[in-house]
Amino acid sequence: MKIKDIRFTPLFSKFKTPYVWAMGKNLGQTTILVEIETDAGVVGYGETAPTMTSPEAIQTLLLTAKTVLLGQPITQIINLMKQLFTQNFGHHYASQSHPRIGNIAFAGVELALWDALGKSVGLPVHALLGGKIHDTVSFMGFVQGDSTEEVAAHAGQLAQDGFEVIYLKAGYTNDKDMANVEAVRKAIGNRRLRIDPNEAWDLMEAQVMINKLAKYDLEMVEQPVSAIAGVPALKALKQSCSVPIAADQSVFTPEEAHAMCSSGAASLLTVGLHETGGILGFRRVAAIAQVFDINVCIHGVWETGITTCASIQAASGVPNLDDGNQIMWQLLQEDIVESPDLAPNVGKIPVMSAPGLGFTLNEDAVGRAAEAYDKKNGLEVT
Ligand SMILES: [Mg+2]
């Protein structure tokens, strides 16, 4: 079970409708498909979400994986990832100087290694990790749209579809945020409502806005202030607002998770495989949060069904898993995963039992997404 070849293919996938959030509007997403082929002919798939810098910069980092990994056994995932970080950043496993960029870049390699290992031994990845304690994973209804009318209509539809948790982007103008939350609350009845201003507010603005919006019975506000403001800003918010606060962009690493949880600054961690560098990193962060009786909520970034399946494999064995988890594949005009059907049923997706990460790729869809990336010449379309 040695690594014979590693391939990286940038993909561009258009969204069904423009993705509107506090950072602007995106027409599509770029992901990098990672394929690891063993000497037995098994191919494992993963994907990297190049969100923190250009896809080209991330791909340059990824290409170093070839010299590190070729010829090595896929049974040594921890050691292989450690070697990747050591070669690129001169530090073991996680880089002291660039932990976030390293995690973002190499998460796709880790996922592909797990997929290849699971397929090689005929077991789903959750079984390799010690088994699952959840048979399904629950997701929130992710509201899309630009105008207040659009978000209210979509939120109402999601509530009808059975999602218990409805999640709305915020951080636009204060008037628009107030109008959106009021309209969505009306559309979803007594469903649970969470909002995410994506770091758009300063501390005082966040205190004012959250206290004003509290009358709409918000269950949680996710990362309302800059991640750079760190633990103190979230802690100040938590002390001055009645609505629970979640940390998202503030937490990528186990060290950041420990600082956040031990300070009492957040009631929930929203964190995914890409921020934590893969399945093992996600499990480490989740274990730290569990010590403080804090749940982790799967975070979505640019992703296809590959990340969705990998997230479910990782989360299925996490006791302190939230029930308003995030997925993003459903926003795409065309996903590259052919099976299983990843559409949540009443908000839930069953844990995959097929070997590896548990999916089959649609090779034609991969070809179309690769062609779409080449056509736009690597430029991000936003
Ligand atoms: Mg967020």
Side-chain angles (χ1 to χ4, degrees), residues 167 169 196 198 222-223 248-249 270 299 326:
Y167 170 98
K169 288 294 186 187
D196 184 0
N198 278 103
E222 186 172 300
Q223 194 73 54
D248 176 353
Q249 285 83 2
T270 304
H299 182 240
Q326 185 178 28

Side-chain angles (χ1 to χ4, degrees), residues 34-364:
V34 181
E35 295 174 72
I36 291 181
E37 186 175 346
T38 72
D39 53 4
V42 172
V43 178
Y45 297 101
E47 71 183 355
T48 281
T51 53
M52 301 187 70
T53 180
S54 71
E56 293 75 19
I58 295 288
Q59 206 172 354
T60 302
L61 268 179
L62 277 171
L63 287 171
T64 65
K66 282 203 168 192
T67 53
V68 174
L69 302 186
L70 286 180
Q72 301 226 45
I74 57 167
T75 49
Q76 300 295 314
I77 295 176
I78 294 174
N79 188 34
L80 295 178
M81 296 306 292
K82 176 182 164 185
Q83 288 180 49
L84 263 186
F85 275 90
T86 304
Q87 160 150 325
N88 280 283
F89 303 110
H91 192 263
H92 299 311
Y93 205 73
S95 148
Q96 282 180 322
S97 53
H98 305 286
R100 292 183 164 215
I101 205 76
N103 283 355
I104 286 283
F106 297 132
V109 174
E110 204 239 26
L111 300 188
L113 285 167
W114 281 113
D115 193 40
L117 180 57
K119 286 172 174 167
S120 296
V121 299
L123 288 171
V125 169
H126 66 76
L128 303 179
L129 296 166
K132 61 186 164 78
I133 53 174
H134 310 291
D135 291 326
T136 60
V137 173
S138 297
F139 294 89
M140 48 77 164
F142 190 178
V143 178
Q144 300 298 305
D146 195 352
S147 69
T148 297
E149 293 71 27
E150 285 169 355
V151 295
H154 190 220
Q157 184 59 54
L158 292 166
Q160 273 186 26
D161 292 343
F163 288 97
E164 290 292 334
V165 179
I166 304 295
Y167 170 98
L168 176 69
K169 288 294 186 187
Y172 311 115
T173 66
N174 292 351
D175 285 348
K176 182 169 176 171
D177 287 338
M178 292 298 296
N180 282 1
V181 173
E182 182 182 9
V184 165
R185 168 51 73 203
K186 201 178 279 182
I188 65 172
N190 61 3
R191 297 292 161 120
R192 293 153 57 196
L193 177 58
R194 300 176 173 189
I195 65 167
D196 184 0
N198 278 103
E199 308 177 73
W201 295 332
D202 59 53
L203 179 56
M204 194 172 90
E205 190 177 24
Q207 288 168 321
V208 170
M209 284 299 289
I210 294 170
N211 284 325
K212 274 187 183 175
L213 289 166
K215 66 180 176 185
Y216 299 112
D217 193 17
L218 297 182
E219 180 180 72
M220 172 274 265
V221 180
E222 186 172 300
Q223 194 73 54
V225 295
S226 167
I228 294 170
V231 169
L234 288 186
K235 195 169 181 180
L237 266 183
K238 195 174 175 191
Q239 287 168 346
S240 59
C241 300
S242 60
V243 180
I245 304 295
D248 176 353
Q249 285 83 2
S250 286
V251 173
F252 277 48
T253 65
E255 293 81 2
E256 289 167 343
H258 184 267
M260 184 63 68
C261 295
S262 62
S263 73
S267 304
L268 180 71
L269 297 188
T270 304
V271 68
L273 305 185
H274 295 285
E275 294 86 1
T276 54
I279 288 171
L280 293 178
F282 178 79
R283 285 286 185 98
R284 276 194 292 274
V285 165
I288 289 168
Q290 187 186 359
V291 173
F292 296 93
D293 209 12
I294 289 174
N295 285 354
V296 290
C297 178
I298 299 169
H299 182 240
V301 288
W302 304 152
E303 72 179 56
T304 73
I306 292 178
T307 294
T308 305
C309 293
S311 300
I312 289 172
Q313 295 286 347
S316 64
V318 170
N320 53 324
L321 181 67
D322 186 57
D323 64 352
N325 297 293
Q326 185 178 28
I327 47 175
M328 299 278 278
W329 73 266
Q330 77 281 12
L331 309 184
L332 307 179
Q333 284 183 11
E334 182 178 55
D335 189 20
I336 60 170
V337 162
E338 189 165 78
S339 69
D341 180 1
L342 294 175
N345 182 13
V346 198
K348 298 178 194 300
I349 303 178
V351 177
M352 301 82 198
S353 55
L357 295 175
F359 59 81
T360 306
L361 274 192
N362 178 337
E363 299 290 348
D364 292 339

